Amino acid sequence: MSNSSAFSITPQAIRHPRVNVRIRLSLRICNIILILEWSITNYSQVLPQPRQTPRKSAREAGIRRLILDEANAVALALALPEDLPITENKVTHEYICPEWFSQRTGAVGNISTRKFTYYVSHDRKFCYLERMHYQATDEGWRGLQSLTLSDSETNTAYELATNWMRAVGMDVTGLNRDFKTIIAPETSDGRGARREFGRVWWVYWAVGQEGEGSVASIRLSLPEKRLMQLRVENPKYILRDPLPPLDVASNTGKVWK
């Protein structure tokens, strides 16, 4: 008998119970392996993937640090209810403007915490602050009051607004000189024709007549004396310093022109 015939499987061997069991077991193992491979390949595409944090360029990381410094200075000057200092791990959202856009417009970007958003949008200067989620609680602040406006409320709203403006380096004197100052409670239209005054006030410097827009404004709530929004659109009336030049790397020069 040749060597090849010694290792061949004869029909008698296939019919042997032990050989059949081994073959069936081998086939089942192969099937299980194939099924596992198919499952891993297909289901891995639908399973939640670990969140990938995009890597930031040296420019974005540097600008973020500058805006953080500015936000800390603003929060301290306004005595905002922030957990100071504001560090990177306390930032809930951010936007850094593209370099070409910053060079053309002077807009840099903004960062948000759980309580406020800080904008650097005009000539690389802080110009806009907004309290987070205030719209959701407006109804709670709009307690019904008399339709007759008291002088004390008007004076309090104006004093608070101008003090906040000056605290962050806004030119209140120039705004008062060049624009009409309007102090009014916020109104809300009901289902019918009735309008109700509430605790939310506006102090703004109107470009034209009332209702035609403004160059700067403060939104606040009384009697809580709570700052809800601060805005100055014209950098001429922003006296604070712009963000300093940023060296991204020794060979790339300045971000700002």
Side-chain angles (χ1 to χ4, degrees):
M1 181 181 294
S2 64
N3 292 335
S4 61
S5 61
F7 295 97
S8 63
I9 300 177
T10 63
Q12 292 79 8
I14 294 176
R15 289 195 296 268
H16 194 280
R18 292 183 179 177
V19 174
N20 285 337
V21 170
R22 291 175 182 175
I23 293 175
R24 286 197 298 270
L25 183 59
S26 299
L27 290 174
R28 287 180 181 178
I29 292 174
C30 290
N31 287 335
I32 292 172
I33 293 173
L34 290 173
I35 291 172
L36 288 174
E37 290 179 349
W38 181 88
S39 300
I40 293 171
T41 302
N42 288 273
Y43 283 96
S44 62
Q45 299 175 4
V46 298
L47 290 174
Q49 300 297 317
R51 183 176 178 181
Q52 299 295 325
T53 302
R55 294 186 61 185
K56 298 186 180 300
S57 66
R59 172 185 175 273
E60 291 174 327
I63 291 175
R64 186 190 201 200
R65 288 192 296 271
L66 292 179
I67 299 178
L68 273 173
D69 291 342
E70 189 74 344
N72 276 291
V74 168
L76 185 62
L78 294 174
L80 297 179
E82 287 276 24
D83 181 17
L84 297 177
I86 303 171
T87 53
E88 292 193 6
N89 64 317
K90 297 175 185 176
V91 174
T92 59
H93 180 268
E94 69 176 65
Y95 175 73
I96 306 298
C97 296
E99 185 173 357
W100 65 268
F101 187 78
S102 294
Q103 292 175 351
R104 291 184 182 182
T105 67
V108 177
N110 61 76
I111 64 168
S112 298
T113 66
R114 292 186 301 106
K115 296 181 178 180
F116 293 92
T117 299
Y118 304 81
Y119 296 82
V120 179
S121 302
H122 295 300
D123 285 1
R124 310 195 323 270
K125 297 179 180 180
F126 164 78
C127 60
Y128 195 6
L129 173 78
E130 187 169 16
R131 181 180 289 269
M132 298 292 289
H133 313 302
Y134 69 80
Q135 291 179 345
T137 55
D138 271 0
E139 293 304 319
W141 293 343
R142 286 191 179 129
L144 300 184
Q145 296 176 339
S146 170
L147 296 180
T148 302
L149 307 179
S150 68
D151 290 339
S152 62
E153 287 177 316
T154 302
N155 293 337
T156 299
Y158 176 76
E159 183 179 358
L160 286 171
T162 53
N163 285 343
W164 284 327
M165 283 286 197
R166 290 191 177 97
V168 290
M170 305 305 174
D171 185 7
V172 175
T173 301
L175 290 170
N176 287 337
R177 179 190 64 237
D178 298 337
F179 303 96
K180 181 181 179 180
T181 306
I182 296 177
I183 309 159
E186 187 169 281
T187 58
S188 58
D189 289 321
R191 296 293 182 180
R194 183 181 178 185
R195 296 171 67 86
E196 299 169 338
F197 291 103
R199 292 182 177 141
V200 180
W201 285 69
W202 284 96
V203 178
Y204 63 96
W205 289 263
V207 174
Q209 298 299 318
E210 185 173 353
E212 293 183 359
S214 61
V215 69
S217 63
I218 288 280
R219 189 172 187 251
L220 64 136
S221 64
L222 290 177
E224 297 92 340
K225 299 181 180 180
R226 180 179 295 161
L227 176 60
M228 299 164 67
Q229 186 186 99
L230 182 152
R231 177 183 65 91
V232 178
E233 292 292 346
N234 190 334
K236 172 184 176 181
Y237 302 97
I238 304 175
L239 303 181
R240 64 187 301 109
D241 294 331
L243 296 189
L246 173 66
D247 285 315
V248 176
S250 58
N251 296 326
T252 57
K254 305 289 186 181
V255 169
W256 323 121
K257 288 187 176 180

